[in-house]
C-alpha cells in the first residue's frame, strides 16, 4: 500500500470477536447455522470487522463419513440442507452459500464439482498441495480439522509461505493450558469418541503466535471445539489492541475438562509434548507426555471420579 492509502485507513475500532457468555453450555448455534457449532456466527463477526479480500476458503478435512459424490456447489445455497452437508457441518458452508469459492482436502473422497481433492495432507506437503490447486498465499480463511496432526499441518502451512487472513483449528479440550500436548507428527486415523485427537489449545496458540497470529475466539460445544486466529498485521490496522480478549480469558473454563469418552494406553502412546517434539526431541517429548498424562489422571480422578486415560 502507498502512504496515501495508509492515510485513508479508518482509525482502529473496538473489536468484539468473542461471545460474552463463556460458559461451555452457552455456545449454542442458531437454527439457521450450517456449521457443527456456532462457527458460522464467529466467522461472520470476524469478516464483518476485517473485511473480505479474495472470497477463497479451505477446509482440511471434509468431516463426513458419507460419500459427497454428486454434490454440486449450488447445493450449499439450497434451503433444504443436503444430508451429506448436514452431517459434515462444515465451517465454510455459509461462506460458500454466499458465493465464496471453496477448496476441500480429504484423505478418502474426491469431487471436482465442489473442488474436493483426495489427498492425505502432511506437514511436508500441505503448502505444496495448496499451491498446486492455485490457492493464494493470503487466502481469506483456512479451517484445519483432521483430529490428528492438526497443529503440525498448521506449522507446515504457515512455515512454508502461506499466510491465511483467518485460520481456525480444532483443539483438544482435555488438556489444561500448562500442558502443550499434541498427537505425534505422523498421521493416524481418529478413533470415534477418543480423548486423544489433535492438539491442546496452548500448542495451537504457540504455533499461531510464532507466525504472527492472535487468537480472537475459542468456542466449545458438545460436538466441536474450535479456535479462531487472525493475522496480527490485520488486527493492528482494524482494532484497538485492548479490545481483543486474551488467550487466557478466552480459554478459561473451556480447557482441562473431559471431552469425548475414552483413552487407552495405545492411544496415549501417540501423544507428545509439543515444544519438545518441535525441537526434534521425540524420546523426551513422549516421556514428558506420559508424565503429564499421569498428572492429568490424578486431576480427573479427583475432580470427576474417573481418569483421563486407562494406562494399565
Amino acid at each position: 500500500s502507498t502512504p496515501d492509502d495508509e492515510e485513508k485507513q479508518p482509525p482502529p475500532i473496538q473489536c468484539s470477536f468473542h461471545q460474552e457468555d463463556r460458559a461451555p453450555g452457552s455456545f449454542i448455534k442458531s437454527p439457521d447455522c450450517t456449521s457443527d457449532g456456532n462457527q458460522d456466527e464467529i466467522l461472520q463477526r470476524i469478516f464483518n470487522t476485517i473485511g473480505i479480500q479474495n472470497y477463497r476458503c479451505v477446509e482440511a478435512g471434509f468431516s463426513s463419513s458419507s460419500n459427497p459424490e454428486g454434490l454440486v456447489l449450488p447445493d450449499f445455497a439450497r434451503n433444504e440442507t443436503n444430508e451429506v452437508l448436514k452431517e459434515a457441518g462444515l465451517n465454510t458452508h455459509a461462506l460458500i452459500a454466499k458465493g465464496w469459492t471453496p477448496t476441500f482436502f480429504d484423505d478418502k473422497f474426491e469431487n471436482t464439482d465442489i473442488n474436493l481433492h483426495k489427498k492425505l495432507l502432511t506437514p511436508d506437503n500441505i503448502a505444496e498441495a495448496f499451491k498446486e490447486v492455485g490457492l493464494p498465499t493470503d487466502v481469506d480463511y483456512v479451517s484445519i480439522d483432521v483430529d490428528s496432526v492438526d497443529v503440525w499441518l498448521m506449522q507446515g502451512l504457515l512455515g512454508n509461505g502461506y499466510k491465511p487472513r483467518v485460520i481456525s483449528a480444532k483443539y483438544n479440550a482435555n488438556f489444561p493450558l500448562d500442558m502443550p500436548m499434541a498427537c505425534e507428527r505422523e498421521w493416524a486415523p481418529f478413533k470415534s469418541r477418543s480423548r486423544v485427537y489433535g492438539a491442546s489449545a496452548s500448542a495451537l496458540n504457540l504455533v499461531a503466535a510464532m507466525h504472527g497470529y492472535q487468537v480472537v475466539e475459542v468456542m466449545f460445544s458438545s460436538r466441536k471445539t474450535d479456535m479462531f486466529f487472525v493475522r496480527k498485521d490485520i488486527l493492528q490496522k482494524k482494532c484497538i489492541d485492548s479490545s481483543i480478549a486474551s488467550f487466557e480469558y478466552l480459554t478459561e473454563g473451556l480447557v482441562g475438562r473431559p471431552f469425548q469418552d475414552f483413552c487407552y494406553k495405545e492411544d496415549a502412546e501417540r501423544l507428545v509434548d509439543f515444544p519438545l517434539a518441535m525441537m526434534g526431541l521425540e524420546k523426551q517429548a513422549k516421556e514428558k507426555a506420559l508424565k503429564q498424562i499421569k498428572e492429568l489422571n490424578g486431576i480427573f480422578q479427583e475432580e470427576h471420579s474417573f481418569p483421563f486415560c486407562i494406562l494399565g
Side-chain angles (χ1 to χ4, degrees):
S1 62
T2 66
D4 286 342
D5 290 334
E6 292 177 5
E7 286 177 11
K8 294 174 186 175
Q9 285 279 350
I13 62 170
Q14 292 281 340
C15 293
S16 181
F17 297 113
H18 66 278
Q19 179 174 301
E20 292 298 328
D21 186 349
R22 307 302 301 166
S26 68
F27 291 85
I28 302 170
K29 67 177 185 177
S30 60
D32 57 344
C33 269
T34 49
S35 51
D36 254 346
N38 64 333
Q39 293 93 332
D40 285 3
E41 297 163 356
I42 295 167
L43 289 169
Q44 183 174 340
R45 289 199 296 269
I46 292 172
F47 284 108
N48 281 351
T49 301
I50 70 169
I52 303 166
Q53 186 164 289
N54 48 54
Y55 291 87
R56 301 291 297 274
C57 56
V58 184
E59 293 238 15
F62 192 73
S63 304
S64 174
S65 59
S66 302
N67 193 330
E69 184 181 2
L71 275 181
V72 292
L73 288 179
D75 289 331
F76 287 84
R78 300 191 201 286
N79 290 331
E80 320 83 34
T81 305
N82 178 283
E83 285 303 312
V84 175
L85 291 177
K86 186 176 180 181
E87 180 194 344
L90 300 167
N91 286 9
T92 56
H93 186 143
L95 301 178
I96 300 165
K98 294 174 182 175
W100 287 46
T101 300
T103 300
F104 302 103
F105 293 98
D106 191 84
D107 66 303
K108 298 187 293 292
F109 302 124
E110 186 161 27
N111 179 350
T112 55
D113 289 331
I114 60 169
N115 297 328
L116 169 59
H117 304 272
K118 184 178 179 181
K119 192 172 189 69
L120 178 62
L121 295 177
T122 71
D124 298 320
N125 74 13
I126 184 170
E128 187 61 31
F130 275 44
K131 184 178 178 181
E132 285 174 358
V133 298
L135 286 164
T137 56
D138 60 347
V139 54
D140 270 315
Y141 174 55
V142 172
S143 167
I144 298 177
D145 179 1
V146 297
D147 289 317
S148 177
V149 293
D150 304 58
V151 70
W152 298 105
L153 291 181
M154 184 187 287
Q155 170 65 11
L157 183 68
L158 301 182
N160 287 285
Y162 270 85
K163 301 297 178 189
R165 299 178 73 236
V166 179
I167 187 166
S168 70
K170 185 175 181 179
Y171 69 94
N172 190 320
N174 290 284
F175 301 114
L177 289 192
D178 61 352
M179 293 186 182
M181 303 273 270
C183 289
E184 59 193 349
R185 199 174 188 273
E186 289 71 36
W187 181 88
F190 172 61
K191 293 181 182 178
S192 180
R193 310 308 298 173
S194 173
R195 292 189 184 127
V196 173
Y197 66 91
S200 69
S202 53
L204 289 164
N205 192 58
L206 175 63
V207 169
M210 282 172 50
H211 293 284
Y213 286 77
Q214 184 166 342
V215 62
V216 297
E217 177 62 302
V218 179
M219 58 85 61
F220 183 104
S221 76
S222 60
R223 291 192 63 187
K224 203 70 175 285
T225 54
D226 276 357
M227 302 177 68
F228 292 79
F229 303 93
V230 179
R231 278 198 346 238
K232 286 184 179 178
D233 63 308
I234 296 172
L235 291 176
Q236 287 167 356
K237 293 176 182 177
K238 300 288 185 178
C239 303
I240 297 171
D241 186 57
S242 60
S243 69
I244 301 173
S246 69
F247 171 58
E248 291 74 19
Y249 173 82
L250 292 173
T251 52
E252 185 176 359
L254 304 184
V255 298
R257 53 183 297 117
F259 192 76
Q260 306 290 22
D261 298 331
F262 68 86
C263 167
Y264 299 108
K265 183 179 178 181
E266 61 268 26
D267 306 309
E269 289 173 345
R270 292 177 46 223
L271 290 168
V272 295
D273 175 81
F274 182 64
L276 288 174
M278 271 190 63
M279 294 163 55
L281 303 173
E282 295 295 330
K283 183 172 182 292
Q284 296 93 321
K286 284 187 174 286
E287 288 173 349
K288 187 170 182 181
L290 180 58
K291 180 181 178 182
Q292 291 184 319
I293 290 166
K294 291 176 179 177
E295 291 176 12
L296 197 55
N297 274 349
I299 295 170
F300 272 37
Q301 193 70 55
E302 182 178 341
E303 296 182 358
H304 310 290
S305 301
F306 56 81
F308 164 72
C309 197
I310 297 172
L311 298 174

